[in-house]
Amino acid sequence: NALTEFQLAHGIGPVTESIEINTVNSELAEKGEDIFKTNCSACHKMSERYVGPALGDVLDKRSPAYVMNMILNPDEMVKKHPEAKKMLAEFMTPMPNQNLQKEEARAIVEYLALVGQQQ
C-alpha cells in the first residue's frame, strides 16, 4: 500500500491536484471562517494546541491539498498517511469526518491562508 509521491506531499483523498494560493480570495475566506467556526473550532485554535493542532500556520507545514484531504478524508488519512498517523499518535484524538463538500474545504483553506498572512 505504498503512497504515491503526490499522496505523500498532498494527502489521500478527493483532492488529486496541487492547489496554489497566491492571493487569498476574501469572499471564499469569509465563507471558510463561518464553516471553521461551526465545524472546526471545537477542536482547533489558531495559535495554540487544543484537542487538535494549532492551525494558524498549518499552510507553512502542509500543502492546501493536504489540508483539504485531511478535512475531507480524515479516516483514511490517519490510517494510511505517515504524517497524519504521527499527528494522531501525538494528539490521541482522531479527527471526525465533518462531511463537508470539496468547495467548503477549499473555503476553509482560504481562511487558513488569510489567518497565516495575518500572524
Side-chain angles (χ1 to χ4, degrees), residues 108-119:
I108 292 169
V109 167
E110 287 287 336
Y111 170 59
L112 292 172
L114 181 67
V115 170
Q117 285 178 355
Q118 293 169 347
Q119 286 193 338

Side-chain angles (χ1 to χ4, degrees), residues 2-68:
L3 300 183
T4 66
E5 272 185 54
F6 181 88
Q7 289 173 325
L8 284 170
H10 302 288
I12 305 159
V15 182
T16 54
E17 55 195 39
S18 184
I19 291 171
E20 297 294 321
I21 299 177
N22 300 314
T23 308
V24 173
N25 176 328
S26 55
E27 194 179 312
L28 210 49
E30 209 172 291
K31 246 183 246 172
E33 182 176 11
D34 291 341
I35 298 165
F36 185 90
K37 285 179 177 167
T38 303
N39 295 74
C40 315
S41 64
C43 296
H44 293 285
K45 304 296 174 212
M46 288 301 161
S47 55
E48 63 188 276
R49 178 191 173 113
Y50 199 55
V51 177
L55 295 180
D57 63 350
V58 69
L59 293 175
D60 295 339
K61 302 172 190 159
R62 306 273 187 255
S63 74
Y66 180 99
V67 175
M68 287 177 66

Side-chain angles (χ1 to χ4, degrees), residues 40-108:
C40 315
S41 64
C43 296
H44 293 285
K45 304 296 174 212
M46 288 301 161
S47 55
E48 63 188 276
R49 178 191 173 113
Y50 199 55
V51 177
L55 295 180
D57 63 350
V58 69
L59 293 175
D60 295 339
K61 302 172 190 159
R62 306 273 187 255
S63 74
Y66 180 99
V67 175
M68 287 177 66
N69 279 324
M70 192 68 207
I71 292 168
L72 297 168
N73 192 27
D75 302 333
E76 191 174 13
M77 285 285 287
V78 297
K79 282 188 191 117
K80 296 182 180 175
H81 196 283
E83 290 303 315
K85 282 182 186 178
K86 263 192 242 171
M87 296 303 282
L88 179 60
E90 182 181 341
F91 288 88
M92 303 303 288
T93 305
M95 183 164 141
N97 191 328
Q98 299 291 318
N99 299 306
L100 295 175
Q101 300 303 309
K102 209 171 186 178
E103 299 72 40
E104 293 170 307
R106 181 77 173 93
I108 292 169

